[in-house]
Amino acid sequence: MAAKESKLKPGSKLGEILKTLQDYNIATYTGEDDGYDYLREGDYCITVLNPSGDEDLYIDLEEGFTLTCGEWDAHYEPYPKDYRNMMEDIRRFLEGGMYLAVVSQGEDWICSMSVNQKEPDKAFMLKQLREFLHSADCDVFIREIGKRGASVNCIFWNSEKCRTIRVRPGDLK
């Protein structure tokens, strides 16, 4: 029987995360800073400032770990494996090996997810979208996108690579 992983204290990883991000322009906040009163003592928010002035990447170290960029976020439990996965996602996103897909119909946001690709590929992204919505028990959105279509904003850290993929009715089956 495998030993159960012990929980991490996310705040204890601050130094390690800052060292990993030393080549980026970052700012660190606590609950003492304006706008960060949601942070309790020992919690932090690291902001990786996007050099293009587009969406910054926020890394919240609270009871767990949360990455946020624009309309996308991902939560990671405070365990070593989840922490390693988060650090790998940060690296991939900042180095261009992953993009964020924000799916909407008109002004209505449907979902956001990460896609592990260096360049958007519609067929791959549609497969990922279907799997993501199905695993979230949101098949109603699969049917809705199948009927009405949608747009997917593919957001890269390097904003020059960003693009929008149009999903036409019938594309998502």
Side-chain angles (χ1 to χ4, degrees):
M1 187 164 124
K4 184 178 176 183
E5 281 189 308
S6 59
K7 273 189 166 183
L8 300 171
K9 291 184 180 179
S12 71
K13 292 297 188 179
L14 177 66
E16 186 177 318
I17 295 169
L18 292 175
K19 184 175 181 188
T20 299
L21 298 171
Q22 67 187 352
D23 294 335
Y24 296 91
N25 189 7
I26 58 174
T28 305
Y29 301 97
T30 67
E32 301 290 317
D33 296 300
D34 285 343
Y36 294 88
D37 55 342
Y38 67 93
L39 295 171
R40 298 182 194 153
E41 187 163 334
D43 293 348
Y44 302 93
C45 176
I46 303 167
T47 303
V48 184
L49 302 168
N50 192 313
S52 68
D54 288 333
E55 297 288 347
D56 297 327
L57 176 64
Y58 299 93
I59 307 165
D60 283 324
L61 287 65
E62 298 175 277
E63 292 177 11
F65 303 93
T66 303
L67 299 180
T68 305
C69 186
E71 296 178 281
W72 171 84
D73 63 37
H75 304 282
Y76 304 82
E77 294 297 321
Y79 293 99
K81 181 179 179 184
D82 292 276
Y83 172 72
R84 288 189 301 273
N85 289 339
M86 178 195 70
M87 294 302 290
E88 180 63 18
D89 286 348
I90 291 170
R91 184 194 63 75
R92 269 197 310 268
F93 180 59
L94 294 176
E95 293 177 1
M98 174 176 105
Y99 65 90
L100 311 176
V102 179
V103 183
S104 57
Q105 285 181 325
E107 296 295 316
D108 296 329
W109 174 85
I110 295 176
C111 68
S112 300
M113 62 183 192
S114 59
V115 180
N116 289 315
Q117 272 192 315
K118 291 183 179 197
E119 298 294 330
D121 172 85
K122 185 175 180 177
F124 183 80
M125 189 274 309
L126 288 174
K127 180 178 182 269
Q128 296 296 306
L129 177 59
R130 171 179 275 295
E131 289 174 6
F132 178 81
L133 290 171
H134 182 70
S135 69
D137 201 24
C138 294
D139 288 345
V140 66
F141 290 114
I142 296 171
R143 290 188 297 275
E144 183 65 20
I145 294 169
K147 287 183 205 172
R148 294 183 41 217
S151 64
V152 181
N153 288 324
C154 302
I155 300 165
F156 286 86
W157 184 247
N158 175 354
S159 61
E160 292 176 7
K161 292 181 69 174
C162 295
R163 64 180 275 213
T164 299
I165 295 176
R166 302 279 177 227
V167 181
R168 300 189 193 301
D171 283 352
L172 189 63
K173 298 173 183 166

